[in-house]
Amino acid sequence: MLLSQVIHDNPSLTDFWALERCVSAEARKIPQEASAPLTCDVEPEFRCTPRKWDLILSAAHDRGLRARQR
């Protein structure tokens, strides 16, 4: 799962925290048997992007993957 693709597919994103929710939601859509790690190939260009943005988005991706198992 490429971060650039998530951003491209969701042009209405207005801030980093909306992107975080979107990453989690996209991870929930990944089929159970598939393995799709998040690849942070671009840095989000939102004004409110925190310093450790990659860790935050990785955690959101992991939450989404865990949620799909329920």
Side-chain angles (χ1 to χ4, degrees), residues 30-44:
I30 298 170
Q32 189 77 12
E33 60 280 348
S35 173
L38 176 65
T39 303
C40 295
D41 58 335
V42 296
E43 182 174 350

Side-chain angles (χ1 to χ4, degrees):
M1 184 168 133
L2 293 175
L3 182 58
S4 60
Q5 190 65 45
V6 173
I7 292 171
H8 180 268
D9 291 346
N10 297 281
S12 63
L13 294 172
T14 57
D15 65 16
F16 176 81
W17 303 107
L19 174 60
E20 180 200 24
R21 291 187 300 274
C22 188
V23 165
S24 183
E26 290 295 320
R28 275 186 246 121
K29 295 178 186 176
I30 298 170
Q32 189 77 12
E33 60 280 348
S35 173
L38 176 65
T39 303
C40 295
D41 58 335
V42 296
E43 182 174 350
E45 296 182 2
F46 301 108
R47 191 170 189 210
C48 62
T49 301
R51 286 186 184 178
K52 296 184 179 183
W53 61 269
D54 52 338
L55 296 176
I56 294 168
L57 293 181
S58 292
H61 182 262
D62 291 344
R63 277 194 312 274
L65 291 178
R66 285 192 307 271
R68 73 182 178 168
Q69 297 173 354
R70 294 181 182 161

